Amino acid sequence: MGNGIAQVAARAGFDVVMHDVQDGFLQRGLGAIDKSLQRDVDKERLSADEKAAIISRIKATTDLNALSGASLVVEAVTEDLKVKTELFGALDRVLPPESILASNTSSISITKLAAATQRPDKVIGMHFMNPVPVMKLVEVIRGIATSDATYEKIRALTEKLGKTALDCHDSPGFVSNRVLMPMINEAIFTLHEGVATRESIDGIMKLGMNHPMGPLALADFIGLDVCLAILRVLYDGFGDPKYRACPLLRQYVDAGWLGRKTGRGFYEY
Ligand SMILES: NC(=O)c1ccc[n+]([C@@H]2O[C@H](COP(=O)([O-])OP(=O)(O)OC[C@H]3O[C@@H](n4cnc5c(N)ncnc54)[C@H](O)[C@@H]3O)[C@@H](O)[C@H]2O)c1
């Protein structure tokens, strides 16, 4: 998600610093950006010069201090409250006081992330969809302390990125994943119970409901670890057993079968 967000921002003309914990992850991200832009060059939607200019606006680093000049950080690290709050605390110390801290979290409370900083008024949810360069929506989530000024700036920025901002209150899973994840989880239960094969389950939802992807293929695309993390936030957040993650999903994550990113999930890649 991070490389997609970096690509979209650089394409809109912004200078971008992409940060990760290991150089290998950054190289993989830069490779994904190159491949995605090359597809547009091949389809004559972008010139080779424009592609080179976009890439030249992206710097990659493992040094968090390199973000010290940023007016906005969009955090897109692992969907884990501890990892995110630690990073928000560190970013709060590195960034100038006026900078905005946005999170691409799929489900975690923006209010909780904001509380890890000394600038809760400048913390907001900016939930991009996957794949970022293609998908139009950004779900914009205000924490309890998010100021009107922060919200207005992020809405305007979202439009500048060529996306559509839709608002949502800070509630577990927001709207997108509160609606999507129970469907994906239920599809996994039907597979687990032997109700149908993976191909039938996905085919029924594609042909019957006009979904572009079946729920099992979509889960592989999102990442099974991310799906499980979101279901846990829903389960804990609402205290309602209807969000209980299917044991098969938990087993796949235990096995390291995380979907496309590891070459195996409900399908093999
Ligand atoms: N996968 C999706 O379809 C999707 C869609 C929308 C939002 N999201 C959200 O976006 C975020 C990232 O998801 P993803 O699927 O790209 O996850 P991912 O696991 O593929 O990538 C996370 C990246 O964050 C890096 N990272 C971990 N800790 C870090 C730290 N302290 N500092 C810097 N980098 C760190 C990891 O090295 C990794 O490269 C999550 O919050 C997720 O919920 C995911």
Side-chain angles (χ1 to χ4, degrees), residues 16-30:
V16 179
V17 181
M18 200 163 74
H19 172 264
D20 206 309
V21 287
Q22 272 185 39
D23 194 52
F25 299 143
L26 290 166
Q27 294 312 319
R28 207 169 58 189
L30 289 170

Side-chain angles (χ1 to χ4, degrees), residues 42-259:
D42 294 343
K43 290 186 177 159
E44 297 182 354
R45 292 194 292 233
L46 190 72
S47 75
D49 284 353
E50 284 166 332
K51 177 189 160 197
I54 294 166
I55 288 176
S56 75
R57 283 196 283 274
I58 305 174
K59 305 273 173 290
T61 182
T62 53
D63 177 10
L64 199 68
N65 292 311
L67 303 181
S68 64
S71 49
L72 166 71
V73 171
V74 184
E75 167 277 312
V77 306
T78 318
E79 186 73 351
D80 180 288
L81 179 65
K82 189 165 175 283
V83 174
K84 285 193 195 287
T85 46
E86 278 175 14
L87 182 61
F88 267 61
L91 283 167
D92 193 37
R93 291 188 286 278
V94 165
L95 292 175
E98 64 278 10
S99 302
I100 294 178
L101 263 167
S103 176
N104 185 48
T105 178
S106 301
S107 58
I108 293 172
S109 161
I110 301 303
T111 303
K112 272 189 193 160
L113 297 179
T117 75
Q118 302 297 317
R119 63 181 87 202
D121 57 315
K122 297 189 182 69
V123 175
I124 192 162
M126 217 180 164
H127 184 206
F128 290 84
M129 304 293 129
N130 189 9
V132 182
V134 177
M135 302 295 279
K136 285 281 168 228
L137 173 67
V138 177
E139 205 175 22
V140 174
I141 306 111
R142 295 179 68 151
I144 196 164
T146 309
S147 70
D148 290 346
T150 300
Y151 166 75
E152 295 301 340
K153 276 187 198 158
I154 291 304
R155 271 202 80 100
L157 171 73
T158 303
E159 305 291 326
K160 253 191 226 163
L161 298 180
K163 307 287 184 201
T164 301
L166 290 176
D167 299 344
C168 164
H169 290 303
D170 193 14
S171 172
F174 317 127
V175 170
S176 52
N177 282 310
R178 182 170 172 180
V179 176
L180 175 65
M181 281 304 149
M183 183 191 72
I184 286 179
N185 197 39
E186 206 58 36
I188 301 169
F189 269 113
T190 59
L191 182 71
H192 190 47
E193 292 167 12
V195 177
T197 63
R198 61 185 186 183
E199 288 80 9
S200 285
I201 295 163
D202 276 354
I204 286 165
M205 297 307 288
K206 274 165 66 180
L207 296 176
M209 317 302 153
N210 222 6
H211 289 188
M213 271 174 121
L216 299 174
L218 180 56
D220 278 356
F221 187 69
I222 292 169
L224 302 190
D225 53 335
V226 176
C227 292
L228 181 59
I230 297 168
L231 281 162
R232 286 188 167 142
V233 170
L234 291 170
Y235 185 82
D236 293 344
F238 292 111
D240 187 331
K242 77 176 172 183
Y243 299 109
R244 178 177 73 99
C246 177
L248 188 65
L249 173 63
R250 283 191 265 126
Q251 206 173 23
Y252 273 41
V253 172
D254 286 344
W257 298 350
L258 306 183

